[in-house]
Amino acid sequence: MRTRLTPLPALCLSLLAALSLGACNRDAAPKATSVKADAAGQVRVTEGPALERWIPPTVNIAADQVDAALEQAETAARNKQWFRDDQSVLPIVLAVESIATNTPKQQQRAESLRKDAIDALLQQGQDLLQQLDSDPIALSEARTIAAVIRSAAPGEERTFAFLDEFERRQVAALLNGQALAALQRKDLGDAPDQGAQGLYRQVLRTDPNNAVAQQGLAQVEQAFIDRAYFEADRRLYHLAARALRQGSQVRSDVEGNVAGASKDLQTHRTRYLQLLKAQGIAGLVDRGDLKLARSKLVEMIRVSQPGEPLVAELSTRIELFQHYGPYRPGQTFTDEMPSGGRGPRMVVVPHGAFIMGSTDADPQANKNEKPAHEVRFARGFAMAEHEVTVAEFGRFIAATQHRTRASRRGFSTIYSESSGNYARQSFVDWYSDFHGAKAAMNAPVMHVSVRDALAYVQWLSEKTGHEYRLPSEAEFEYALRAGSADVFPWGSGSPKSPIENLTGLRDVSVSGRRWANGFEGYGDGYWGPAPVEQFAANAFGLRDMGGNLSEWTADCVHAGFRRAPKDGKAWVNSGCRSYVTKGGSWASSPAQTRSAFRVGIDADTTNAKIGFRVVRDL
């Protein structure tokens, strides 16, 4: 038997480096390889004696029986009986070769038979090696054949090659088996060198073309993807993202399915966020359930990525709801009346703060406009876009048969064109204009007292189911200024273009009268109240706040603003007889048109300069 040392095979070198197993001499007794993964996912490979030398069955042949034995071996070869019993080729041949008196012809016949047997076994062995990953029985059979070949042809190069291939394939099969077991128990490996993927990678380091290991890594990748979908169904998107990151590292050199799964999960997350947003908004709009909306927002924040616009949208809606209910600042709406028709067109005024009253910088300021003070509105409110019209007030009269103060007194104060002054005139009521004639339906209603206005808002509240009221003085000035801190709503000095129905020195009455005290160079084309909606809205979307008619507010008259409410609510005393009016009228002087101007009027007053508009809480 020929014995030689050759360079260490690749598998032996890898095992030496990883496991310090010692020398892998080709002539040393072959070892059985066992591969296991511990609880931490680390691969452990151990060896022990298993590939022992094959001990052929005993065959007793006398010198004169050699030819007969060789004939028997040739018959066994034809029947492919190579080694398993004393009737097989190799046991007979080995027994023959041990006889020293063999002739050259007999030795040649024996060598030929042994070669044929080894050739056949090598082919069987190669066939079995191809089956190791799919047929567990093949490993045992291949190990047996390897032991036979090693014993029967120990010094041949093809024996060394087969044994190297067998050892490599054996380790690969064992590793693949352990990897499959790890995959089935979902031990995928938190890192590339752990779990199922770590085992498959060990196979590929020694056998890069191992199809089972390659397919195994594809299955590991898919298992991570399946895990990601599972976590997404549980709404644990951070775990789903982690699983996808791990999956993307399994076959980084192959275009796998992770990219498509990532898009799917993003769609999954987006749909869930859209559902949460819709549920939150529905809770606000349908039930006013702020708690529900906030819970949906918390869930959206939990599952979303930074900068998610859907989260910002619901957050904005919640913030808006806190300040405006189901509305938005600047939004216009009308409330339906069950008996038919709709209420006044309302505009949502934004919440905020402003400085109310006059500062020392205003030389025309009155004492009752001081001290200037901050008023802050925690919530927005809705204010009528324009003053209540004759048509709107007429529906109230028709529905309630309310008798106004002017009707009960039998007169009101009008403007007399002939004298240029104000005068009492009989049979003037809410349906009259500033001359006492019949008013147009789209004219602002006048000749109404504050009590008439309060009766109107009470009726409107009952009919719509929403709380309508007169604006507080603070609400009116806040809406009048619409963000301006100047003396006038539009700034300072005379307006540059017609923006309100004011007293302009260019205005002329039907008889040619002009204002003695008006805005220099200004004219708006009206002498007397104008129909509503003739001038542009201010920055809050409201019309005729600074002109046309002065308007009733809900505040009782006080000498100044000391102890005035800072939250914008009406300042009311029980039994008060005088109420504050705000805003300039078609006949107010420039000083009376200032944003801070306020004047107290007896509650029973009716004339051609005062009207009102309504406010609705949100």
Side-chain angles (χ1 to χ4, degrees), residues 341-396:
R342 306 192 72 86
R345 186 162 65 246
M346 309 298 291
V347 179
V348 178
V349 177
H351 75 100
F354 80 114
I355 301 301
M356 182 177 181
S358 293
T359 66
D360 293 337
D362 182 358
Q364 295 180 305
N366 296 314
K367 291 182 179 180
N368 70 344
E369 300 165 5
K370 295 181 177 181
H373 59 288
E374 183 182 67
V375 175
R376 182 172 296 275
F377 297 93
R379 284 183 61 85
F381 55 91
M383 179 175 276
E385 181 182 357
H386 53 71
E387 296 140 334
V388 174
T389 65
V390 171
E392 290 169 337
F393 198 79
R395 287 198 292 272
F396 155 65

Short mmCIF file of all heavy atoms in Angstrom, two decimals, residues 341-396:
data_model
loop_
_atom_site.label_atom_id
_atom_site.label_comp_id
_atom_site.label_asym_id
_atom_site.label_seq_id
_atom_site.Cartn_x
_atom_site.Cartn_y
_atom_site.Cartn_z
N GLY A 341 -85.30 77.42 4.32
CA GLY A 341 -84.36 78.54 4.26
C GLY A 341 -83.11 78.26 5.08
O GLY A 341 -82.96 77.21 5.71
N ARG A 342 -82.23 79.23 5.07
CA ARG A 342 -80.96 79.09 5.78
C ARG A 342 -80.67 80.38 6.53
O ARG A 342 -81.22 81.44 6.22
CB ARG A 342 -79.82 78.77 4.82
CG ARG A 342 -80.08 77.56 3.93
CD ARG A 342 -78.84 77.12 3.20
NE ARG A 342 -77.90 76.49 4.09
CZ ARG A 342 -77.89 75.21 4.43
NH1 ARG A 342 -78.82 74.40 3.93
NH2 ARG A 342 -76.97 74.71 5.24
N GLY A 343 -79.80 80.26 7.53
CA GLY A 343 -79.42 81.42 8.31
C GLY A 343 -78.45 82.31 7.56
O GLY A 343 -78.08 82.04 6.41
N PRO A 344 -77.96 83.37 8.18
CA PRO A 344 -77.00 84.28 7.54
C PRO A 344 -75.72 83.54 7.15
O PRO A 344 -75.36 82.53 7.74
CB PRO A 344 -76.72 85.33 8.62
CG PRO A 344 -77.88 85.25 9.55
CD PRO A 344 -78.32 83.83 9.54
N ARG A 345 -75.04 84.05 6.13
CA ARG A 345 -73.77 83.46 5.72
C ARG A 345 -72.71 83.86 6.72
O ARG A 345 -72.46 85.04 6.95
CB ARG A 345 -73.39 83.91 4.31
CG ARG A 345 -72.14 83.20 3.79
CD ARG A 345 -71.98 83.29 2.29
NE ARG A 345 -71.77 84.64 1.84
CZ ARG A 345 -72.62 85.34 1.09
NH1 ARG A 345 -73.79 84.79 0.73
NH2 ARG A 345 -72.34 86.56 0.70
N MET A 346 -72.07 82.84 7.32
CA MET A 346 -71.11 83.05 8.39
C MET A 346 -69.69 82.83 7.89
O MET A 346 -69.46 82.02 7.00
CB MET A 346 -71.41 82.11 9.57
CG MET A 346 -72.85 82.14 10.05
SD MET A 346 -73.36 83.75 10.68
CE MET A 346 -72.39 83.85 12.18
N VAL A 347 -68.76 83.54 8.50
CA VAL A 347 -67.35 83.40 8.18
C VAL A 347 -66.62 83.02 9.46
O VAL A 347 -66.82 83.64 10.51
CB VAL A 347 -66.76 84.70 7.60
CG1 VAL A 347 -65.28 84.52 7.30
CG2 VAL A 347 -67.52 85.14 6.36
N VAL A 348 -65.75 82.00 9.39
CA VAL A 348 -65.00 81.56 10.56
C VAL A 348 -63.83 82.50 10.78
O VAL A 348 -62.94 82.63 9.92
CB VAL A 348 -64.50 80.12 10.38
CG1 VAL A 348 -63.68 79.68 11.60
CG2 VAL A 348 -65.69 79.17 10.17
N VAL A 349 -63.83 83.17 11.92
CA VAL A 349 -62.78 84.13 12.28
C VAL A 349 -61.68 83.38 13.03
O VAL A 349 -61.97 82.63 13.97
CB VAL A 349 -63.36 85.26 13.15
CG1 VAL A 349 -62.26 86.22 13.60
CG2 VAL A 349 -64.45 86.00 12.39
N PRO A 350 -60.43 83.55 12.65
CA PRO A 350 -59.35 82.79 13.31
C PRO A 350 -59.16 83.21 14.76
O PRO A 350 -59.38 84.36 15.13
CB PRO A 350 -58.12 83.14 12.47
CG PRO A 350 -58.43 84.45 11.85
CD PRO A 350 -59.92 84.44 11.59
N HIS A 351 -58.75 82.22 15.58
CA HIS A 351 -58.42 82.56 16.95
C HIS A 351 -57.11 83.34 16.96
O HIS A 351 -56.33 83.32 16.00
CB HIS A 351 -58.28 81.29 17.80
CG HIS A 351 -57.01 80.53 17.56
ND1 HIS A 351 -55.93 80.62 18.39
CD2 HIS A 351 -56.66 79.69 16.56
CE1 HIS A 351 -54.96 79.86 17.93
NE2 HIS A 351 -55.37 79.28 16.82
N GLY A 352 -56.83 84.00 18.04
CA GLY A 352 -55.61 84.79 18.13
C GLY A 352 -55.70 85.84 19.22
O GLY A 352 -56.54 85.75 20.12
N ALA A 353 -54.86 86.85 19.12
CA ALA A 353 -54.82 87.90 20.14
C ALA A 353 -54.61 89.25 19.44
O ALA A 353 -54.11 89.31 18.31
CB ALA A 353 -53.70 87.63 21.14
N PHE A 354 -55.00 90.31 20.11
CA PHE A 354 -54.77 91.66 19.58
C PHE A 354 -54.78 92.64 20.74
O PHE A 354 -55.17 92.32 21.87
CB PHE A 354 -55.83 92.02 18.54
CG PHE A 354 -57.16 92.47 19.12
CD1 PHE A 354 -57.59 93.78 18.95
CD2 PHE A 354 -57.97 91.59 19.84
CE1 PHE A 354 -58.81 94.20 19.47
CE2 PHE A 354 -59.18 92.00 20.35
CZ PHE A 354 -59.60 93.32 20.17
N ILE A 355 -54.31 93.85 20.45
CA ILE A 355 -54.35 94.93 21.44
C ILE A 355 -55.61 95.74 21.20
O ILE A 355 -55.78 96.36 20.16
CB ILE A 355 -53.11 95.84 21.33
CG1 ILE A 355 -51.84 95.02 21.55
CG2 ILE A 355 -53.20 96.98 22.36
CD1 ILE A 355 -51.77 94.32 22.88
N MET A 356 -56.49 95.71 22.19
CA MET A 356 -57.79 96.38 22.09
C MET A 356 -57.69 97.77 22.70
O MET A 356 -57.03 97.97 23.72
CB MET A 356 -58.85 95.55 22.81
CG MET A 356 -60.25 96.12 22.73
SD MET A 356 -61.43 95.01 23.55
CE MET A 356 -62.97 95.91 23.27
N GLY A 357 -58.35 98.73 22.07
CA GLY A 357 -58.38 100.09 22.59
C GLY A 357 -57.35 100.98 21.92
O GLY A 357 -56.68 100.60 20.96
N SER A 358 -57.22 102.18 22.45
CA SER A 358 -56.31 103.20 21.88
C SER A 358 -55.05 103.32 22.70
O SER A 358 -55.07 103.20 23.93
CB SER A 358 -57.01 104.57 21.83
OG SER A 358 -58.06 104.55 20.91
N THR A 359 -53.98 103.57 22.01
CA THR A 359 -52.71 103.84 22.68
C THR A 359 -52.47 105.34 22.72
O THR A 359 -53.21 106.13 22.11
CB THR A 359 -51.55 103.16 21.91
OG1 THR A 359 -51.42 103.78 20.62
CG2 THR A 359 -51.81 101.67 21.74
N ASP A 360 -51.43 105.75 23.39
CA ASP A 360 -51.12 107.18 23.50
C ASP A 360 -50.69 107.76 22.16
O ASP A 360 -50.63 108.98 21.99
CB ASP A 360 -50.01 107.39 24.53
CG ASP A 360 -50.48 107.05 25.94
OD1 ASP A 360 -51.72 107.08 26.17
OD2 ASP A 360 -49.64 106.72 26.79
N ALA A 361 -50.38 106.89 21.20
CA ALA A 361 -49.97 107.37 19.89
C ALA A 361 -51.13 107.91 19.08
O ALA A 361 -50.91 108.56 18.05
CB ALA A 361 -49.28 106.25 19.12
N ASP A 362 -52.36 107.65 19.53
CA ASP A 362 -53.55 108.13 18.80
C ASP A 362 -54.02 109.45 19.43
O ASP A 362 -54.57 109.45 20.53
CB ASP A 362 -54.66 107.08 18.88
CG ASP A 362 -55.90 107.49 18.09
OD1 ASP A 362 -55.92 108.60 17.52
OD2 ASP A 362 -56.87 106.70 18.07
N PRO A 363 -53.82 110.59 18.76
CA PRO A 363 -54.19 111.88 19.36
C PRO A 363 -55.69 112.06 19.51
O PRO A 363 -56.13 112.91 20.28
CB PRO A 363 -53.61 112.89 18.37
CG PRO A 363 -53.52 112.15 17.07
CD PRO A 363 -53.24 110.74 17.43
N GLN A 364 -56.49 111.28 18.80
CA GLN A 364 -57.95 111.41 18.87
C GLN A 364 -58.58 110.42 19.84
O GLN A 364 -59.81 110.33 19.91
CB GLN A 364 -58.56 111.23 17.47
CG GLN A 364 -58.14 112.32 16.48
CD GLN A 364 -58.75 112.08 15.11
OE1 GLN A 364 -58.59 111.02 14.52
NE2 GLN A 364 -59.46 113.08 14.62
N ALA A 365 -57.75 109.73 20.59
CA ALA A 365 -58.26 108.69 21.50
C ALA A 365 -59.10 109.31 22.61
O ALA A 365 -58.82 110.42 23.10
CB ALA A 365 -57.10 107.92 22.11
N ASN A 366 -60.14 108.61 23.01
CA ASN A 366 -60.99 109.00 24.14
C ASN A 366 -60.60 108.19 25.38
O ASN A 366 -60.03 107.11 25.27
CB ASN A 366 -62.46 108.73 23.81
CG ASN A 366 -62.94 109.57 22.65
OD1 ASN A 366 -62.68 110.78 22.59
ND2 ASN A 366 -63.65 108.93 21.71
N LYS A 367 -60.91 108.74 26.54
CA LYS A 367 -60.57 108.04 27.77
C LYS A 367 -61.25 106.70 27.88
O LYS A 367 -60.70 105.75 28.46
CB LYS A 367 -60.96 108.90 28.98
CG LYS A 367 -60.11 110.15 29.15
CD LYS A 367 -60.53 110.91 30.40
CE LYS A 367 -59.65 112.16 30.59
NZ LYS A 367 -60.05 112.91 31.81
N ASN A 368 -62.46 106.60 27.32
CA ASN A 368 -63.18 105.33 27.45
C ASN A 368 -62.60 104.24 26.54
O ASN A 368 -63.06 103.09 26.56
CB ASN A 368 -64.67 105.51 27.18
CG ASN A 368 -64.97 105.80 25.72
OD1 ASN A 368 -64.09 106.15 24.93
ND2 ASN A 368 -66.24 105.68 25.35
N GLU A 369 -61.59 104.59 25.72
CA GLU A 369 -60.92 103.61 24.86
C GLU A 369 -59.63 103.08 25.49
O GLU A 369 -58.88 102.35 24.86
CB GLU A 369 -60.59 104.23 23.51
CG GLU A 369 -61.82 104.72 22.75
CD GLU A 369 -61.47 105.64 21.60
OE1 GLU A 369 -60.25 105.82 21.31
OE2 GLU A 369 -62.39 106.21 20.98
N LYS A 370 -59.38 103.46 26.76
CA LYS A 370 -58.13 103.09 27.42
C LYS A 370 -58.44 102.37 28.73
O LYS A 370 -59.55 102.49 29.27
CB LYS A 370 -57.29 104.34 27.67
CG LYS A 370 -56.81 105.03 26.40
CD LYS A 370 -55.95 106.23 26.74
CE LYS A 370 -55.41 106.90 25.47
NZ LYS A 370 -54.55 108.04 25.81
N PRO A 371 -57.46 101.68 29.27
CA PRO A 371 -56.11 101.44 28.71
C PRO A 371 -56.15 100.39 27.60
O PRO A 371 -56.97 99.47 27.63
CB PRO A 371 -55.32 100.95 29.90
CG PRO A 371 -56.32 100.24 30.75
CD PRO A 371 -57.61 101.02 30.60
N ALA A 372 -55.25 100.54 26.64
CA ALA A 372 -55.09 99.50 25.64
C ALA A 372 -54.64 98.22 26.34
O ALA A 372 -53.81 98.25 27.24
CB ALA A 372 -54.06 99.93 24.59
N HIS A 373 -55.18 97.11 25.93
CA HIS A 373 -54.90 95.85 26.63
C HIS A 373 -55.00 94.69 25.65
O HIS A 373 -55.68 94.76 24.63
CB HIS A 373 -55.88 95.66 27.79
CG HIS A 373 -57.31 95.63 27.35
ND1 HIS A 373 -57.99 96.76 26.91
CD2 HIS A 373 -58.20 94.61 27.26
CE1 HIS A 373 -59.22 96.44 26.58
NE2 HIS A 373 -59.37 95.13 26.77
N GLU A 374 -54.31 93.63 26.01
CA GLU A 374 -54.33 92.46 25.13
C GLU A 374 -55.57 91.62 25.42
O GLU A 374 -55.93 91.38 26.57
CB GLU A 374 -53.09 91.59 25.34
CG GLU A 374 -53.05 90.38 24.39
CD GLU A 374 -51.85 89.48 24.61
OE1 GLU A 374 -51.79 88.84 25.68
OE2 GLU A 374 -50.99 89.44 23.72
N VAL A 375 -56.20 91.17 24.36
CA VAL A 375 -57.31 90.24 24.44
C VAL A 375 -56.93 89.01 23.61
O VAL A 375 -56.45 89.14 22.48
CB VAL A 375 -58.62 90.86 23.89
CG1 VAL A 375 -59.73 89.82 23.87
CG2 VAL A 375 -59.02 92.06 24.73
N ARG A 376 -57.13 87.87 24.18
CA ARG A 376 -56.74 86.63 23.48
C ARG A 376 -57.95 85.71 23.36
O ARG A 376 -58.66 85.45 24.34
CB ARG A 376 -55.63 85.93 24.25
CG ARG A 376 -55.11 84.65 23.59
CD ARG A 376 -53.88 84.13 24.31
NE ARG A 376 -52.79 85.08 24.21
CZ ARG A 376 -51.95 85.14 23.17
NH1 ARG A 376 -52.10 84.32 22.14
NH2 ARG A 376 -50.97 86.02 23.16
N PHE A 377 -58.17 85.22 22.14
CA PHE A 377 -59.26 84.30 21.86
C PHE A 377 -58.69 82.88 21.75
O PHE A 377 -57.95 82.59 20.82
CB PHE A 377 -59.97 84.68 20.56
CG PHE A 377 -60.62 86.03 20.60
CD1 PHE A 377 -59.94 87.16 20.15
CD2 PHE A 377 -61.90 86.19 21.10
CE1 PHE A 377 -60.53 88.41 20.19
CE2 PHE A 377 -62.50 87.44 21.14
CZ PHE A 377 -61.81 88.55 20.70
N ALA A 378 -59.06 82.04 22.70
CA ALA A 378 -58.58 80.66 22.67
C ALA A 378 -59.24 79.87 21.55
O ALA A 378 -58.65 78.93 21.02
CB ALA A 378 -58.84 79.98 24.01
N ARG A 379 -60.44 80.25 21.20
CA ARG A 379 -61.16 79.58 20.11
C ARG A 379 -61.60 80.61 19.08
O ARG A 379 -61.82 81.78 19.40
CB ARG A 379 -62.40 78.85 20.62
CG ARG A 379 -62.12 77.56 21.33
CD ARG A 379 -63.40 76.87 21.75
NE ARG A 379 -64.27 76.53 20.62
CZ ARG A 379 -64.16 75.42 19.90
NH1 ARG A 379 -63.23 74.54 20.18
NH2 ARG A 379 -64.99 75.18 18.90
N GLY A 380 -61.72 80.13 17.86
CA GLY A 380 -62.28 80.98 16.83
C GLY A 380 -63.79 81.08 17.00
O GLY A 380 -64.39 80.40 17.85
N PHE A 381 -64.38 81.90 16.22
CA PHE A 381 -65.84 82.05 16.24
C PHE A 381 -66.28 82.40 14.83
O PHE A 381 -65.47 82.78 13.98
CB PHE A 381 -66.28 83.11 17.25
CG PHE A 381 -65.64 84.46 17.04
CD1 PHE A 381 -66.22 85.42 16.23
CD2 PHE A 381 -64.43 84.77 17.66
CE1 PHE A 381 -65.62 86.66 16.04
CE2 PHE A 381 -63.81 85.99 17.47
CZ PHE A 381 -64.41 86.95 16.66
N ALA A 382 -67.56 82.25 14.57
CA ALA A 382 -68.10 82.59 13.27
C ALA A 382 -68.87 83.90 13.38
O ALA A 382 -69.66 84.09 14.31
CB ALA A 382 -69.01 81.49 12.75
N MET A 383 -68.62 84.80 12.43
CA MET A 383 -69.31 86.08 12.40
C MET A 383 -69.99 86.24 11.04
O MET A 383 -69.45 85.79 10.01
CB MET A 383 -68.32 87.22 12.64
CG MET A 383 -68.94 88.62 12.59
SD MET A 383 -67.77 89.94 13.03
CE MET A 383 -67.88 89.90 14.82
N ALA A 384 -71.18 86.84 11.04
CA ALA A 384 -71.89 87.05 9.79
C ALA A 384 -71.03 87.87 8.83
O ALA A 384 -70.39 88.84 9.23
CB ALA A 384 -73.22 87.74 10.04
N GLU A 385 -71.02 87.47 7.57
CA GLU A 385 -70.19 88.16 6.59
C GLU A 385 -70.59 89.63 6.45
O GLU A 385 -69.75 90.49 6.23
CB GLU A 385 -70.32 87.46 5.24
CG GLU A 385 -69.48 88.10 4.15
CD GLU A 385 -69.66 87.42 2.81
OE1 GLU A 385 -70.39 86.41 2.73
OE2 GLU A 385 -69.07 87.90 1.82
N HIS A 386 -71.86 89.90 6.60
CA HIS A 386 -72.34 91.28 6.49
C HIS A 386 -73.45 91.51 7.51
O HIS A 386 -73.89 90.57 8.21
CB HIS A 386 -72.84 91.58 5.07
CG HIS A 386 -73.86 90.58 4.56
ND1 HIS A 386 -75.14 90.50 5.05
CD2 HIS A 386 -73.76 89.62 3.61
CE1 HIS A 386 -75.80 89.54 4.42
NE2 HIS A 386 -74.98 88.99 3.54
N GLU A 387 -73.89 92.72 7.59
CA GLU A 387 -74.97 93.05 8.52
C GLU A 387 -76.24 92.31 8.15
O GLU A 387 -76.47 91.96 6.99
CB GLU A 387 -75.21 94.57 8.48
CG GLU A 387 -74.02 95.38 8.96
CD GLU A 387 -73.76 96.64 8.13
OE1 GLU A 387 -74.16 96.66 6.94
OE2 GLU A 387 -73.14 97.57 8.67
N VAL A 388 -77.08 92.04 9.17
CA VAL A 388 -78.37 91.38 8.92
C VAL A 388 -79.18 92.26 7.97
O VAL A 388 -79.28 93.47 8.15
CB VAL A 388 -79.12 91.14 10.23
CG1 VAL A 388 -80.52 90.59 9.98
CG2 VAL A 388 -78.33 90.19 11.13
N THR A 389 -79.74 91.64 6.95
CA THR A 389 -80.47 92.40 5.93
C THR A 389 -81.95 92.49 6.27
O THR A 389 -82.46 91.81 7.17
CB THR A 389 -80.33 91.73 4.56
OG1 THR A 389 -80.97 90.44 4.62
CG2 THR A 389 -78.87 91.57 4.17
N VAL A 390 -82.62 93.35 5.53
CA VAL A 390 -84.07 93.50 5.69
C VAL A 390 -84.76 92.16 5.41
O VAL A 390 -85.69 91.77 6.13
CB VAL A 390 -84.59 94.60 4.74
CG1 VAL A 390 -86.12 94.62 4.73
CG2 VAL A 390 -84.05 95.97 5.15
N ALA A 391 -84.33 91.44 4.39
CA ALA A 391 -84.95 90.16 4.06
C ALA A 391 -84.76 89.15 5.19
O ALA A 391 -85.69 88.43 5.55
CB ALA A 391 -84.35 89.62 2.76
N GLU A 392 -83.55 89.09 5.76
CA GLU A 392 -83.28 88.13 6.83
C GLU A 392 -84.09 88.47 8.07
O GLU A 392 -84.67 87.58 8.71
CB GLU A 392 -81.78 88.12 7.14
CG GLU A 392 -80.94 87.49 6.04
CD GLU A 392 -79.45 87.71 6.22
OE1 GLU A 392 -79.06 88.68 6.92
OE2 GLU A 392 -78.66 86.93 5.66
N PHE A 393 -84.15 89.76 8.41
CA PHE A 393 -84.92 90.17 9.59
C PHE A 393 -86.41 89.97 9.34
O PHE A 393 -87.16 89.64 10.26
CB PHE A 393 -84.62 91.63 9.93
CG PHE A 393 -85.01 92.02 11.32
CD1 PHE A 393 -84.22 91.70 12.41
CD2 PHE A 393 -86.20 92.72 11.57
CE1 PHE A 393 -84.59 92.06 13.71
CE2 PHE A 393 -86.57 93.08 12.86
CZ PHE A 393 -85.75 92.74 13.93
N GLY A 394 -86.84 90.12 8.09
CA GLY A 394 -88.25 89.95 7.77
C GLY A 394 -88.73 88.53 7.99
O GLY A 394 -89.88 88.32 8.39
N ARG A 395 -87.89 87.55 7.74
CA ARG A 395 -88.27 86.16 8.00
C ARG A 395 -88.51 85.94 9.48
O ARG A 395 -89.42 85.20 9.88
CB ARG A 395 -87.19 85.21 7.48
CG ARG A 395 -87.14 85.10 5.96
CD ARG A 395 -86.38 83.86 5.50
NE ARG A 395 -84.97 83.94 5.80
CZ ARG A 395 -84.07 84.49 4.99
NH1 ARG A 395 -84.45 85.03 3.84
NH2 ARG A 395 -82.80 84.51 5.31
N PHE A 396 -87.71 86.59 10.30
CA PHE A 396 -87.89 86.51 11.76
C PHE A 396 -89.22 87.13 12.16
O PHE A 396 -89.99 86.55 12.95
CB PHE A 396 -86.72 87.21 12.44
CG PHE A 396 -87.00 87.72 13.83
CD1 PHE A 396 -87.27 86.86 14.87
CD2 PHE A 396 -86.97 89.10 14.08
CE1 PHE A 396 -87.52 87.36 16.15
CE2 PHE A 396 -87.23 89.59 15.35
CZ PHE A 396 -87.50 88.73 16.39
#
